[in-house]
Amino acid sequence: MAKVKKAVIPAAGLGTRVLPASKVMPKEMLPIVDRPAIQYIVEEAVKSGIEDILIITNRGKGLIEDHFDHAIELEQRLEASGKLDDLDEVRRITDLANITFVRQKETKGLGHAVLCAKSFVGDEPFAVLYGDDVIIGEDPACAQLCRAFEAHGKGVLGIHEVSAEAIGKYSSVKIEPTGDGCFYVSDMIEKPKPDEVMSPYAILGRVVLTPDIFPILEQTAPGAGGEIQLTDAMKMLARTVGMTGVPFTGTRYDMGNKLGILQANCEVALSRPDLGEEFKAYLKELVATF
Ligand code: UTP
């Protein structure tokens, strides 16, 4: 089975759940401690063996492009003032991967955003890393899905068990264990009502697809929320040839909602060798006053 070397990061949503922060700046550029969310996602893709990345943008295109480009004046200043660690970090971002950009001209949903990647993808399998879902773990989530693609040869969904109250916000999948820690997925539903839930497993943040998805997406009518839903297209694949579900390890932070942003910043700061101890002491003192 072909190795997955391409990735698509949709980052063109309106981010209405994190307004007004996302009014001008894409939510994917919101920081977790000192890096924008999208940098964690690009780094996860690179650690997973991805070589070419397409970022789907809309507003704030310049900001995202600039972040992954050289900042000559800044680099010269850091070099002149001997701040070589900062210089290395700034340059490292530019060299992370071969990143290109395409603009989604209308915000018609995640399915439509993925369709914008058709010519970039060509005839190869590709990973989709949702631009507002940061997943941090030893074994990159994207790599776990790519391995499952190579093992099973079908499109792969990153899945996670969620509570009965939360499942209605996600896509619920119909699953059977395959015996190797993965699941066979034969159906799915976007934003199910309580009596439509197929299992407590939801699709979260990462999928691996083949170009077979594009003709389906081209025929997919707007679904939940009036948007072209990726889930509606993947459902056709699940029902016909089946897909593979991978309950990935790692901690997921939803940068598309306010609590998720706070959790990401707290937990990543606590885990950082340069900040963790000081931040923990500060938090303990702060919490004691509430
Ligand atoms: P979301 O549904 O979480 O993003 O899409 P949203 O539409 O910005 O969310 P609201 O407005 O707060 O409800 C998941 C990912 O897909 C991208 C988003 O940027 C996010 O990273 N997306 C979504 C697109 O690229 N294009 C779209 O038309 C919709």
Side-chain angles (χ1 to χ4, degrees), residues 132-150:
D132 56 354
D133 270 320
V134 171
I135 303 175
I136 296 180
E138 270 300 298
D139 185 11
C142 177
Q144 298 174 48
L145 269 68
C146 292
R147 291 198 298 270
F149 175 77
E150 282 156 31

Side-chain angles (χ1 to χ4, degrees), residues 10-17 27-28 104 107-110 113 131-132:
L14 294 177
T16 55
R17 287 166 296 147
K27 61 183 165 181
E28 291 78 5
Q104 183 186 15
T107 315
K108 289 195 196 163
L110 179 58
D132 56 354

Side-chain angles (χ1 to χ4, degrees), residues 207-257:
V207 302
V208 170
L209 296 166
T210 63
D212 299 334
I213 198 72
F214 294 120
I216 305 175
L217 276 172
E218 278 161 350
Q219 299 297 318
T220 302
E227 297 195 329
I228 297 175
Q229 297 289 349
L230 182 60
T231 306
D232 289 341
M234 296 193 301
K235 177 167 68 185
M236 302 309 289
L237 281 183
R239 286 182 177 176
T240 49
V241 291
M243 296 187 77
T244 303
V246 173
F248 60 82
T249 57
T251 309
R252 170 181 169 266
Y253 299 107
D254 181 0
M255 295 297 287
N257 86 58

Side-chain angles (χ1 to χ4, degrees), residues 71 87 100 275:
L87 179 65
T100 49
L275 290 168

Side-chain angles (χ1 to χ4, degrees), residues 74-93 95:
L74 174 68
E75 290 174 29
Q76 284 170 347
R77 181 72 63 89
L78 291 172
E79 193 159 21
S81 55
K83 293 187 171 169
L84 299 184
D85 288 348
D86 288 332
L87 179 65
D88 282 351
E89 179 60 15
V90 164
R91 285 192 174 146
R92 190 182 65 83
I93 300 167
D95 298 331

Side-chain angles (χ1 to χ4, degrees), residues 33-269:
V33 185
D34 52 7
R35 297 170 197 185
I38 197 161
Q39 187 181 329
Y40 291 86
I41 296 173
V42 166
E43 291 189 33
E44 177 196 327
V46 171
K47 279 190 214 139
S48 305
I50 299 294
E51 293 169 4
D52 294 303
I53 297 174
L54 178 73
I55 301 181
I56 315 285
T57 59
N58 173 345
R59 299 152 307 119
K61 175 186 157 80
L63 280 181
I64 302 181
E65 275 194 19
D66 288 352
H67 183 72
F68 292 103
D69 197 359
H70 279 292
I72 301 297
E73 198 187 341
L74 174 68
E75 290 174 29
Q76 284 170 347
R77 181 72 63 89
L78 291 172
E79 193 159 21
S81 55
K83 293 187 171 169
L84 299 184
D85 288 348
D86 288 332
L87 179 65
D88 282 351
E89 179 60 15
V90 164
R91 285 192 174 146
R92 190 182 65 83
I93 300 167
T94 312
D95 298 331
L96 273 175
N98 181 22
I99 304 176
T100 49
F101 299 85
V102 69
R103 211 165 173 132
Q104 183 186 15
K105 294 193 181 68
E106 280 177 274
T107 315
K108 289 195 196 163
L110 179 58
H112 181 259
V114 170
L115 190 52
C116 296
K118 187 178 172 186
S119 61
F120 163 81
V121 163
D123 58 2
E124 291 181 47
F126 64 104
V128 182
L129 296 91
Y130 299 12
D132 56 354
D133 270 320
V134 171
I135 303 175
I136 296 180
E138 270 300 298
D139 185 11
C142 177
Q144 298 174 48
L145 269 68
C146 292
R147 291 198 298 270
F149 175 77
E150 282 156 31
H152 292 269
K154 294 180 189 305
V156 183
L157 307 165
I159 55 173
H160 228 276
E161 204 169 339
V162 300
S163 67
E165 301 80 64
I167 191 84
K169 289 190 282 179
Y170 300 104
S171 302
S172 168
V173 285
K174 188 172 174 188
I175 48 170
E176 277 165 53
T178 50
D180 60 351
C182 297
F183 292 90
Y184 180 81
V185 180
S186 55
D187 206 355
M188 65 188 76
I189 180 165
E190 171 85 18
K191 299 196 172 48
K193 299 190 181 76
D195 60 342
E196 294 172 330
V197 171
M198 295 177 171
S199 79
Y201 281 87
I203 303 169
L204 291 183
R206 304 287 179 266
V207 302
V208 170
L209 296 166
T210 63
D212 299 334
I213 198 72
F214 294 120
I216 305 175
L217 276 172
E218 278 161 350
Q219 299 297 318
T220 302
E227 297 195 329
I228 297 175
Q229 297 289 349
L230 182 60
T231 306
D232 289 341
M234 296 193 301
K235 177 167 68 185
M236 302 309 289
L237 281 183
R239 286 182 177 176
T240 49
V241 291
M243 296 187 77
T244 303
V246 173
F248 60 82
T249 57
T251 309
R252 170 181 169 266
Y253 299 107
D254 181 0
M255 295 297 287
N257 86 58
K258 293 170 193 177
L259 188 62
I261 296 168
L262 294 171
Q263 287 166 334
N265 276 282
C266 270
E267 292 182 28
V268 172

